[in-house]
Structure formats: structure tokens, C-alpha cells
Amino acid sequence: MPLALLSGRTAFLGHDAGHRQIASSAKANRRLGLLLGNLMLGMGYGWWNDKHNRHHANPNHVGKDPDVGEGVLVWTREQAEKARGRGSSRGSGGTRRGCSSRCCCWRG
């Protein structure tokens, strides 16, 4: 439990460093981001910063926001239908509930 809390707090601090909200200079924020993301969390700070900036540029726009792309979760009815087609052809046997355009659903 303490490690989970520490990891979560470290991620929030890394997020704030990515938004340049901790230190007064961009260079200091980048160094903090590298320390917190790469060394403490094992996540590429440069990769995350690029992905997060693309998310903020197009929040929740399918095809532009990398956070609503297909993966473990589906975000739109079209993604759910596509996943259903792939799942049934592979025989995954996973269950999927109906999706609306305002929810996310588990895939698999």
C-alpha cells in the first residue's frame, strides 16, 4: 500500500512537471520529469509528454486523441463493434456490454 501511494503521488508530480508547473524554468521541469518518470516510475517521460500534449490538443476526439484509441478499453460504439468482430473470429469468448458514445467498455 505505501508503494502504491508513493507511485501515484510520483506520477502526479511528473504530470505537473510535464505541464511546467513545479519549477520556474522549462529545463528544471524537464529534469524533474525525467527523474520522476524515467527513474522512479520506469515510464518514458518524453513519450508520455508527447502523448499527453496530443491529448490536450484534441481531447476525446477519436483518431486524434491517443487516450481514446483502441486498446484494453473501447470508447465508441464503432470500436466496440469492431472489437466484437475480431473477438468472435478468434474465439475469445469475452463478453461485452452495449456502449454509448459517452462511456468506455472493457474489451476481451
Side-chain angles (χ1 to χ4, degrees), residues 19-93:
H19 282 290
R20 299 179 181 172
Q21 294 177 330
I22 297 177
S24 59
S25 73
K27 189 175 184 178
N29 279 301
R30 177 165 167 68
R31 286 182 180 163
L32 281 169
L34 289 168
L35 171 72
L36 296 165
N38 288 33
L39 292 177
M40 294 185 72
L41 295 174
M43 175 189 71
Y45 174 73
W47 165 84
W48 176 86
N49 205 21
D50 174 63
K51 181 178 179 285
H52 195 62
N53 286 336
R54 287 185 289 133
H55 160 73
H56 276 290
N58 296 288
N60 302 326
H61 289 103
V62 176
K64 293 182 179 180
D65 181 351
D67 290 344
V68 294
E70 291 182 51
V72 175
L73 298 175
V74 294
W75 302 94
T76 66
R77 183 178 307 275
E78 291 78 21
Q79 289 175 345
E81 293 300 324
K82 186 176 174 183
R84 243 184 226 117
R86 283 198 316 245
S88 61
S89 65
R90 288 190 323 216
S92 67

Side-chain angles (χ1 to χ4, degrees), residues 75-77 99-104:
W75 302 94
T76 66
R77 183 178 307 275
C99 289
S100 73
S101 61
R102 297 183 335 197
C103 76
C104 66

